[in-house]
Amino acid sequence: MADLKPKSDISFVEIFLCSAFAACFAEFCTIPLDTAKVRLQLQRKIVPAEGVSLPKYKGLLGTVATVAREEGLASLWKGITAGLHRQFIYGGLRIGLYEPVKTFLTGSDFVGEVPLFHKIIAALLTGALAIVVANPTDLVKVRLQAEGKLPAGVPGRYAGALDAYLTIVRQEGLRALWTGLGPNIARNAIINAAELASYDQVKQTILQIPGFVDNVFTHVLAGLGAGFFAVCIGSPIDVVKSRMMGDSSYKNTLDCFLKTLKNEGFSAFYKGFLPNFGRLGSWNVIMFLTLEQVKKIVTGQAYYD
């Protein structure tokens, strides 16, 4: 591949819509793993008088099974409406803006292979810009996912995604929709850069191995590689983001980071690593494959070199 570069002229609107569709499809397929990840990240150590209690959620499959058993299978798709809102806006913008920003950084007259440094900077910028716009959807998604099983007769905080937006604005103010924006910008900018740069590099490396060609299998391996690097780099920021969005008791990003580190140790920042990798790895594979097929329909040509 090398670059995420269309082989034929295509408008920003077309790129945006293709990217948004691919991101939404991947979101729908993988949100049960994302729900498990959020539950694991929000889970804290409980130390009663008798000793340390066992955690409620254990691992990817254990968390999925617990949520499905206690709350019903549909609970694994909690927050899907807000998740689709997020992916339509964030997914469409981060990929749709990538080429224009990269061209701006290199110059419209640039000829040849775009340096890796420019790819990383472009991805950092587009990830940051996209999540600034999409942060309210991310906040609502996390809040809906974080809500567990309630006692009989006790209603949930929100009746749905739209009610969540309105309730948060009414009770906490408009600015509350951008709670956790700092760690969210850092997370999404870094993960976006990690995904795009590592996808390029992993795919390039695979294609240098005798017998490998640019096909679906190569895309799957490159997508898994992108997901792994993204989770390794972004997991600590992701935990802070989820906790700030799911719990309003933290003063700011630094307060959340320090309290988590003090009370639970550094390992807490990699809570939910397996479901996060399972989710982000599979999300990358589904998204990239879907995006390529959708663009073939729109342009009649493959999206990747």
Side-chain angles (χ1 to χ4, degrees):
M1 140 172 167
D3 298 330
L4 295 175
K5 183 178 181 180
K7 288 187 172 183
S8 60
D9 291 335
I10 183 170
S11 68
F12 168 76
V13 173
E14 289 175 322
I15 297 176
F16 175 87
L17 292 177
C18 289
S19 304
F21 175 81
C24 286
F25 181 69
E27 181 75 7
F28 181 82
C29 293
T30 61
I31 198 169
L33 299 178
D34 193 49
T35 298
K37 177 206 73 173
V38 170
R39 294 292 181 89
L40 285 168
Q41 288 178 336
L42 293 177
Q43 183 170 251
R44 293 173 173 76
K45 290 180 179 178
I46 302 175
V47 186
E50 294 78 15
V52 179
S53 67
L54 295 175
K56 179 179 181 179
Y57 301 118
K58 293 183 179 180
L60 171 61
L61 296 180
T63 302
V64 169
T66 299
V67 173
R69 182 178 64 253
E70 295 185 353
E71 305 169 39
L73 191 63
S75 293
L76 292 169
W77 274 266
K78 272 187 177 181
I80 184 59
T81 301
L84 294 178
H85 293 168
R86 177 188 185 275
Q87 290 302 340
F88 185 86
I89 297 172
Y90 175 69
L93 286 176
R94 75 177 179 118
I95 297 176
L97 289 171
Y98 180 70
E99 277 300 320
V101 172
K102 192 167 63 173
T103 299
F104 174 79
L105 292 174
T106 58
S108 58
D109 297 329
F110 180 84
V111 177
E113 182 72 19
V114 177
L116 178 60
F117 175 75
H118 286 95
K119 296 176 186 177
I120 293 175
I121 295 299
L124 285 171
L125 290 174
T126 58
L129 289 171
I131 202 59
V132 168
V133 179
N135 197 83
T137 64
D138 213 5
L139 174 72
V140 169
K141 174 188 170 186
V142 169
R143 293 232 180 148
L144 290 173
Q145 287 178 311
E147 192 169 77
K149 185 178 181 180
L150 299 170
V154 178
R157 285 195 297 175
Y158 312 113
L162 181 58
D163 178 64
Y165 291 120
L166 297 175
T167 301
I168 291 170
V169 172
R170 184 174 62 251
Q171 296 181 351
E172 304 174 45
L174 184 63
R175 291 182 60 183
L177 290 174
W178 278 267
T179 298
L181 180 61
N184 217 10
I185 288 177
R187 172 193 180 271
N188 286 279
I190 291 171
I191 288 180
N192 194 43
E195 285 178 350
L196 298 184
S198 61
Y199 188 92
D200 280 352
Q201 191 60 45
V202 171
K203 184 177 179 183
Q204 181 181 342
T205 302
I206 291 174
L207 292 177
Q208 292 174 351
I209 301 174
F212 282 87
V213 295
D214 191 0
N215 57 15
V216 170
F217 182 64
T218 297
H219 296 157
V220 169
L221 293 180
L224 289 173
F228 178 75
F229 285 114
V231 174
C232 286
I233 295 171
S235 189
I237 302 171
D238 194 37
V239 170
V240 172
K241 181 217 73 170
S242 293
R243 291 198 170 187
M244 286 192 67
M245 289 183 167
D247 186 346
S248 59
S249 65
Y250 296 110
K251 298 177 182 178
N252 49 48
T253 303
L254 181 61
D255 179 58
C256 180
F257 178 85
L258 293 177
K259 284 182 177 178
T260 301
L261 182 63
K262 178 181 178 181
N263 296 331
E264 303 174 56
F266 186 75
S267 62
F269 294 112
Y270 283 89
K271 276 187 174 181
F273 181 88
L274 181 58
N276 203 5
F277 169 61
R279 190 261 177 180
L280 199 54
S282 58
W283 191 95
N284 272 277
V285 170
I286 295 172
M287 194 280 291
F288 280 119
L289 291 178
T290 303
L291 177 59
E292 183 166 359
Q293 296 308 310
V294 171
K295 284 192 67 68
K296 282 183 179 180
I297 296 174
V298 173
T299 67
Q301 298 183 30
Y303 189 57
Y304 304 114
D305 296 336

